[in-house]
């Protein structure tokens, strides 16, 4: 064999040996070399190229368990249907999507915890939790709703896989309607509110003439059925600057009505007032002043306030113009609400008494206001905690 050929073979042999040595070194360093890692405080021997998923699989997840799939009521649907075990390297949790790409470093500190249980998906059936009523009507002429009631929410959960139902109870608490009673008393004033019930009627126009000539504003609590019949009188009340509110539709004794009848009567009264005068009011004076806790519970969402009175002239008894006048003068005080009538019977005595009532109250320093004005100029009623 020529020398050059022998030389070539030697060179090739040396190159092959060097290549094999380099390949072996690479395989050793990057694949075969054993390393130690600590898993849950125990030293584990593995290879340098071991990925996290292989380490877990080879060692049966080091005793950690996959979480369970639970039904909505807490019972077990699938022992292995929950979240995967949770491995962490150096305190950093590794998501399952990265296990096959994550090579475990030499001397790594690994922890493996069991996966969390998972509750099945569910649908929610909601139902209203009715609000209550906190009503205190003691000691005042104005019954006012301070807060609207608001229904709460109760929930039932239904498991999508199991079909099981769990009543979760009230998840949003209801807010009670709150009603309080008070008597408005403007500070540093001497005011009085004249109010008239049961109209409009044929007696309203003469009373409106007197009020206009005297420059007095009053409040009229009108019956809905009367508003329809005497719509022009009600329109004049508004045009002359008076306040118009409702006295029900047809003057029932409201505590004797059931809930539906009560709500219907109140609603019809407000609608008739709006139709006749254009006024959209939620102010009521209940017939006979009869509107108690149960009526507020049954219909409190329909009204803002129920207005009573301080001075009852007893004009419905027709005691005479002088008696009507004297009753007011004997009981007049700052913030008083006077009850008179412009309908519901013969009101000629009221017409006769009204000019002198106005003149004599003015002589005592009284200013005449509507109920709305009386409330606006008085200290505001606030809800106490």
């Amino acid at each position: 064999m020529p020398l050059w050929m022998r030389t070539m073979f030697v060179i090739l042999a040396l190159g092959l040996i060097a290549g094999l040595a380099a390949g072996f070194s690479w395989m050793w360093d990057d694949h075969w070399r054993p390393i130690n890692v600590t898993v849950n405080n125990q030293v584990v021997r593995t290879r340098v190229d071991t990925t996290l998923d292989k380490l877990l699989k080879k060692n049966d997840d080091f005793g950690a368990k996959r979480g369970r799939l639970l039904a909505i009521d807490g019972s077990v649907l699938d022992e292995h249907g929950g979240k995967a075990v949770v491995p962490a390297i150096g305190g950093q949790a590794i998501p399952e999507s990265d296990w096959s790409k994550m090579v475990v470093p030499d001397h790594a500190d690994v922890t493996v915890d069991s996966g969390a249980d998972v509750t099945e998906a569910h649908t929610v059936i909601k139902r209203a939790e009715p609000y209550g009523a906190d009503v205190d009507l003691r000691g005042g002429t104005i019954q006012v709703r301070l807060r609207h009631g608001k229904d709460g929410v109760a929930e039932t959960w239904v498991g999508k896989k199991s079909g099981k139902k769990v009543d979760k109870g009230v998840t949003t608490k209801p807010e009670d309607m709150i009603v309080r009673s008070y008597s408005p008393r403007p500070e540093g004033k001497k005011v009085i509110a004249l109010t008239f019930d049961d109209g409009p009627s044929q007696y309203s126009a003469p009373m409106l003439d007197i009020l206009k000539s005297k420059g007095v504003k009053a409040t009229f609590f009108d019956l809905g059925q009367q508003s329809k019949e005497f719509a022009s009188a009600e329109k004049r009340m508004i045009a002359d600057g008076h306040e118009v509110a409702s006295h029900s539709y047809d003057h029932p004794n409201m505590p004797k009505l059931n809930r539906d009848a009560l709500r219907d009567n109140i609603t019809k009264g407000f609608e008739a007032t709006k139709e006749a005068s254009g006024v959209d009011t939620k102010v009521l004076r209940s017939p006979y002043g009869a509107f108690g806790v149960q009526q507020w519970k049954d219909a409190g969402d329909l009204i803002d306030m129920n207005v009573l009175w301080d001075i009852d002239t007893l004009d419905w008894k027709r005691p005479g113009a002088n008696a009507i006048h004297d009753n007011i003068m004997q009981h007049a005080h700052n913030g008083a609400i006077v009850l008179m009538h412009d309908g519901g019977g013969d009101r000629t005595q009221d017409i006769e008494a009204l000019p002198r009532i106005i003149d004599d109250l003015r002589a005592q320093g009284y200013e005449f206001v509507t109920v709305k004005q009386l409330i606006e100029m008085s200290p505001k009623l606030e809800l106490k905690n």
Side-chain angles (χ1 to χ4, degrees):
M1 178 182 298
L3 179 61
W4 65 268
M5 188 175 292
R6 289 198 300 272
T7 302
M8 181 65 70
F9 278 125
V10 171
I11 293 173
L12 290 174
L14 291 174
L16 178 61
I17 293 171
L20 289 173
F24 181 85
S25 177
W26 176 78
M27 290 294 293
W28 174 261
D29 287 339
D30 292 348
H31 295 281
W32 297 338
R33 180 169 57 87
I35 61 172
N36 292 329
V37 297
T38 302
V39 182
N40 292 348
N41 298 320
Q42 299 294 322
V43 176
V44 176
R45 191 82 165 169
T46 188
R47 294 193 323 186
V48 70
D49 65 349
T50 303
T51 56
L52 183 57
D53 64 329
K54 291 180 179 179
L55 180 67
L56 293 172
K57 185 175 182 180
K58 183 178 180 180
N59 293 276
D60 195 23
D61 291 337
F62 297 95
K65 301 296 182 183
R66 191 178 187 92
R68 303 168 299 171
L69 176 63
L70 304 180
I72 200 70
D73 64 352
S75 59
V76 179
L77 291 176
D78 184 346
E79 287 288 350
H80 307 290
K83 290 188 176 182
V85 298
V86 183
I89 297 178
Q92 181 67 45
I94 309 301
E96 189 173 8
S97 58
D98 291 342
W99 290 0
S100 62
K101 297 178 285 186
M102 173 63 69
V103 175
V104 181
D106 191 7
H107 300 297
D109 185 5
V110 181
T111 58
V112 183
D113 295 320
S114 293
D117 292 339
V118 174
T119 300
E120 65 175 322
H122 64 275
T123 57
V124 178
I125 300 174
K126 295 184 178 182
R127 61 187 184 277
E129 184 70 14
Y131 66 82
D134 178 2
V135 183
D136 186 351
L137 304 179
R138 295 170 294 179
T141 54
I142 306 291
Q143 300 172 357
V144 59
R145 184 186 60 207
L146 295 181
R147 187 175 75 185
H148 286 268
K150 183 179 181 181
D151 285 344
V153 177
E155 294 183 357
T156 297
W157 290 6
V158 182
K160 288 188 175 181
K161 185 172 184 178
S162 68
K164 293 182 177 180
K165 297 181 179 180
V166 175
D167 187 352
K168 290 294 184 176
V170 177
T171 54
T172 302
K173 291 183 178 180
E175 295 181 359
D176 287 349
M177 176 181 66
I178 297 179
V179 179
R180 292 293 183 265
S181 180
Y182 80 117
S183 293
R185 297 289 184 262
E187 297 176 355
K189 300 281 187 179
K190 193 173 184 181
V191 298
I192 195 164
L194 299 181
T195 68
F196 299 88
D197 286 6
D198 293 351
S201 75
Q202 66 269 33
Y203 301 102
S204 299
M207 290 186 178
L208 289 169
D209 289 340
I210 295 169
L211 294 170
K212 187 171 184 178
S213 67
K214 299 288 187 180
V216 171
K217 306 303 180 186
T219 302
F220 290 85
F221 292 96
D222 291 343
L223 294 172
Q225 62 182 9
Q226 293 295 112
S227 297
K228 290 185 175 182
E229 184 176 354
F230 295 92
S232 60
E234 189 158 296
K235 285 182 173 65
R236 181 183 171 187
M237 293 170 185
I238 299 300
D240 286 356
H242 302 293
E243 180 181 2
V244 172
S246 177
H247 194 40
S248 79
Y249 183 75
D250 56 4
H251 211 281
N253 188 335
M254 289 185 162
K256 292 185 178 181
L257 301 179
N258 63 36
R259 182 180 185 275
D260 289 344
L262 173 67
R263 294 177 67 85
D264 181 65
N265 196 286
I266 291 173
T267 300
K268 285 173 62 179
F270 286 143
E271 288 176 347
T273 298
K274 184 177 181 179
E275 182 179 349
S277 66
V279 173
D280 189 5
T281 181
K282 292 295 181 286
V283 177
L284 173 73
R285 172 175 279 168
S286 56
Y288 315 106
F291 203 83
V293 173
Q294 189 59 50
Q295 286 66 60
W296 272 104
K297 289 181 178 179
D298 289 342
D301 59 310
L302 300 179
I303 69 174
D304 292 333
M305 68 178 68
N306 180 43
V307 180
L308 303 180
W309 54 86
D310 297 284
I311 302 173
D312 187 350
T313 62
L314 301 176
D315 58 347
W316 57 273
K317 292 184 176 181
R318 302 190 72 247
N322 288 335
I324 295 172
H325 166 274
D326 294 347
N327 192 333
I328 295 175
M329 299 309 300
Q330 290 169 11
H331 298 95
H333 60 268
N334 178 40
I337 300 174
V338 179
L339 171 60
M340 300 177 71
H341 292 81
D342 67 325
D346 184 349
R347 299 308 172 205
T348 54
Q349 292 181 0
D350 294 84
I351 295 172
E352 181 184 349
L354 186 56
R356 192 154 57 100
I357 290 170
I358 295 171
D359 291 342
D360 289 351
L361 286 172
R362 272 207 173 120
Q364 291 188 8
Y366 282 98
E367 175 188 354
F368 296 93
V369 295
T370 65
V371 170
K372 181 180 180 181
Q373 290 170 333
L374 175 63
I375 292 172
E376 289 175 345
M377 63 177 56
S378 301
K380 185 179 179 181
L381 177 63
E382 295 183 352
L383 184 62
K384 295 180 180 179
N385 294 327

